[in-house]
């Protein structure tokens, strides 16, 4: 199975299933919330220098697995990552979008250190994917990691100003019911050390972050 996943070979996948119809069920037992599945393996291949044709094979293979076993997308591997975390780490932009299209809840899966894929996209400055994730799963903006950091905290900590600007812009442009309250809550959210993004901008002497944060419609707290 690992060989089929590493090559994105759907024919080999079904050959294995024919020989052992329960091969995927064995990985899908309820007690196995942490397990290395074929979906993890396909998403783990670094495709940043891979030809487009091979990238599509991984995309099709992953889509096939998602149809057969949707629950695999919500599981963590032994290293603490979901398939979407791995796709982000390895340049699988199309695969990341496909996973979200098939199940928007994958955006909210908490992996190692409590980071969701939204946190990871913020850390890496993947602005297009941040926008895609938030469009599919707006509630993910409220998720915090083990440090009580929002995706905005992560953007500030990792000096990803474009990602922060995108996230703040999304909050300001949000027209859903309770948007003002949500914007105030997120912008004034304190991490485990008691810092809002405004505090972090002052600590790090980052005038860009400070100016951007202060431009938001709810008045931010500096106390």
């Amino acid at each position: 199975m690992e060989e089929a996943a590493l090559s994105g070979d759907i024919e080999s996948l079904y050959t294995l299933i024919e020989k052992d119809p329960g091969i995927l069920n064995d990985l899908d037992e309820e007690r196995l919330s942490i397990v290395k599945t074929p979906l993890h393996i396909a998403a783990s291949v670094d495709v940043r220098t891979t030809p487009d044709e091979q990238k599509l094979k991984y995309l099709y293979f992953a889509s096939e697995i998602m149809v057969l076993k949707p629950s695999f997308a919500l599981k963590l591997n032994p290293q603490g990552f979901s398939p979407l975390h791995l796709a982000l780490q390895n340049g699988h932009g199309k695969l990341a979008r496909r996973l979200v299209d098939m199940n928007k809840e994958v955006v909210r899966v908490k992996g190692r250190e409590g980071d969701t894929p939204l946190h990871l996209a913020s850390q890496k400055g993947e602005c297009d994917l941040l926008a895609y994730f938030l469009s599919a799963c707006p509630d993910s903006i409220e998720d915090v990691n083990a440090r009580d950091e929002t995706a905005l905290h992560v953007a500030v900590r990792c000096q990803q100003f474009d990602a922060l600007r995108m996230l703040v812009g999304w909050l300001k442009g949000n027209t859903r019911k309770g948007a003002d309250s949500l914007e105030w809550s997120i912008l004034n959210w304190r991490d485990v050390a008691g810092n809002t993004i405004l505090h972090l901008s002052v600590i790090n002497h980052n005038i860009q972050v400070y100016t951007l944060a202060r431009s938001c419609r709810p008045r931010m707290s500096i106390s």
Side-chain angles (χ1 to χ4, degrees):
M1 182 63 73
E2 183 167 354
E3 184 177 341
L6 287 172
S7 58
D9 191 339
I10 293 176
E11 290 298 323
S12 294
L13 168 65
Y14 279 100
T15 297
L16 291 167
I17 292 174
E18 286 177 11
K19 292 180 179 179
D20 181 4
I23 193 170
L24 296 180
N25 291 335
D26 292 342
L27 296 173
D28 198 32
E29 294 180 21
E30 186 175 347
R31 64 183 178 85
L32 294 176
S33 58
I34 297 180
V35 61
K36 183 179 179 181
T37 73
L39 192 56
H40 288 95
I41 296 170
S44 295
V45 180
D46 191 330
V47 297
R48 281 168 284 196
T49 59
T50 301
D52 289 342
E53 183 179 350
Q54 184 60 37
K55 289 180 183 178
L56 285 175
K57 287 186 177 181
Y58 292 121
L59 177 64
Y60 297 151
F61 183 90
S63 297
E64 199 73 21
I65 292 291
M66 279 285 285
V67 169
L68 295 172
K69 286 293 176 185
S71 60
F72 283 1
L74 302 174
K75 294 181 181 293
L76 303 181
N77 69 4
Q79 288 72 47
F81 300 117
S82 73
L84 184 52
H85 286 97
L86 294 171
L88 281 165
Q89 291 170 353
N90 292 290
H92 285 277
K94 288 183 178 179
L95 175 53
R97 288 174 172 82
R98 183 61 176 154
L99 291 171
V100 173
D101 289 343
M102 298 183 80
N103 184 355
K104 66 180 183 180
E105 289 304 312
V106 297
V107 178
R108 307 194 74 178
V109 175
K110 292 193 175 186
R112 176 183 283 187
E113 297 187 43
D115 283 335
T116 67
L118 191 74
H119 286 100
L120 184 55
S122 183
Q123 176 187 323
K124 295 172 67 65
E126 295 280 0
C127 295
D128 289 344
L129 286 175
L130 280 173
Y132 201 85
F133 292 171
L134 288 169
S135 176
C137 189
D139 290 342
S140 63
I141 193 68
E142 301 181 60
D143 292 331
V144 296
N145 62 18
R147 302 178 185 179
D148 272 350
E149 294 175 320
T150 65
L152 284 76
H153 283 89
V154 173
V156 174
R157 174 164 56 82
C158 297
Q159 300 183 52
Q160 295 289 357
F161 181 72
D162 287 341
L164 178 65
R165 183 166 52 191
M166 184 271 141
L167 290 165
V168 171
W170 184 87
L171 283 168
K172 293 173 73 172
N174 180 23
T175 58
R176 296 194 306 165
K177 184 178 180 180
D180 284 353
S181 176
L182 175 65
E183 184 179 346
W184 189 93
S185 175
I186 297 298
L187 293 174
N188 288 283
W189 185 267
R190 295 173 185 265
D191 63 18
V192 72
N195 293 317
T196 67
I197 62 170
L198 196 57
H199 290 119
L200 293 177
S201 72
V202 173
I203 291 169
N204 297 324
H205 307 289
N206 193 321
I207 189 63
Q208 279 186 306
V209 173
Y210 183 85
T211 302
L212 178 63
R214 294 293 287 181
S215 72
C216 299
R217 62 183 176 229
R219 186 168 180 80
M220 296 187 65
S221 173
I222 192 64
S223 60

